[in-house]
Amino acid sequence: MGSAHVMGSARDGRVRRPVPLKAETMFLACEGADLAYEERGTGDPLLLIHGSGAEAATWDGVSGGLAAAGHRVIAYDRRGYGASAHPPVRDHRRHVADAVAVLERVAGSPATVVGWSAGGNIALALAVARPDLVRRLILVEPPLHGTRLATPAMLAAVARAKWCQLRGRPEEGAAHFFRWAAGPSFDAAPAGERNRLLAHARVVLAELDPHPYGVMFEHLPLRRISGIRLPVTFLIGANSDPLFRLAHRRLVRAVPAIRSEVIPGAGHLVHLDAPEAFTAAVLRATAPAAPPVLPHDRTVPPYVQKDQGAS
């Protein structure tokens, strides 16, 4: 992508400004924040929503391939992350409203929405609230209802993170959380990605605070999710923490028709651990007639095989 340059104001509050990023970045004025976003390619819109700690740049290794396959790829920095300057957001209904604004004013038509981690929870809530804006949904390990599904390992990681926060060591605290969520993938990730994750330590720790509309989307009931009538694909790394398998099972109970694919060799940082396999899985999900993942498919672990037949 080209280097950033200055352009004047556009309709709907969209403004281009010079920013220290590799690609041209535009801004969408949205209720107290300027949301930074980038576009690549032409074709049907495909919106990428990143997880906690990351920013739009996390998709750089896969957005080019998705664009080359005929998608207009839109990636944005969630409010409080990257160039979308804003205090930490604990009420995640705000993030859903921001995604609505990006779809209405940037995409301009129903889009395939890909949400990773907390971005997957946002994408799921978006599909429930505004199905008219979502053509299909691709969820990448969303920790849906993660508080009620919490494993001992997750509780220990959050406790360590908050203890470090209280002692004035937010980056150390965030690193504890990321090493639980991503496992070995966190330390193996490119230095730039690790630095971006740790640079957002205070935002991530704020999101871990208890809140009735918090990051785990405990406020989104399964009965509303069960009303989703658009195609849904769930991508999960073969090496990911058991919590994400529990979330997968929970979603399949609500949406039995969900497609599920396991990405070999990947942990929670699926798109970074296995970018080619991730891109291929997204393209399969966006094909005109997405192929089913059959219960006898040996690439699908037993817990997914069982869930695919759940009702």
Side-chain angles (χ1 to χ4, degrees), residues 117 141 157 175-183 186 240-241 244 267-269:
S117 194
E141 299 198 354
H176 280 300
F177 182 74
F178 291 139
R179 287 193 175 98
W180 162 75
F186 173 70
S240 289
D241 187 86
F244 302 107
H268 188 56
L269 305 182

Side-chain angles (χ1 to χ4, degrees), residues 13 16 23 32 39 53 73 97 105 118 120 150 175 226 229 254 274 287 298 302:
R16 296 182 182 181
E39 295 186 53
V73 179
R105 296 163 57 191
S226 66
R229 294 294 179 265
R298 294 182 180 179

Side-chain angles (χ1 to χ4, degrees), residues 183-205:
S185 296
F186 173 70
D187 290 305
E193 186 68 21
R194 289 199 311 276
N195 291 340
R196 282 190 290 268
L197 289 169
L198 293 176
H200 296 126
R202 295 182 187 278
V203 183
V204 172
L205 293 172

Side-chain angles (χ1 to χ4, degrees), residues 159-249:
R160 292 190 192 101
K162 301 305 282 185
W163 174 249
C164 290
Q165 180 185 26
L166 289 172
R167 295 176 65 85
R169 302 199 298 264
E171 289 191 5
E172 181 182 342
H176 280 300
F177 182 74
F178 291 139
R179 287 193 175 98
W180 162 75
S185 296
F186 173 70
D187 290 305
E193 186 68 21
R194 289 199 311 276
N195 291 340
R196 282 190 290 268
L197 289 169
L198 293 176
H200 296 126
R202 295 182 187 278
V203 183
V204 172
L205 293 172
E207 289 190 356
L208 293 177
D209 288 342
H211 193 283
Y213 301 102
V215 66
M216 300 298 184
F217 279 72
E218 302 291 342
H219 60 281
L220 182 63
L222 286 181
R223 68 176 181 276
R224 295 197 64 195
I225 295 171
S226 66
I228 292 176
R229 294 294 179 265
L230 51 90
V232 183
T233 296
F234 192 111
L235 303 183
I236 188 167
N239 303 329
S240 289
D241 187 86
L243 177 82
F244 302 107
R245 301 178 185 182
L246 295 174
H248 173 262
R249 289 190 178 107

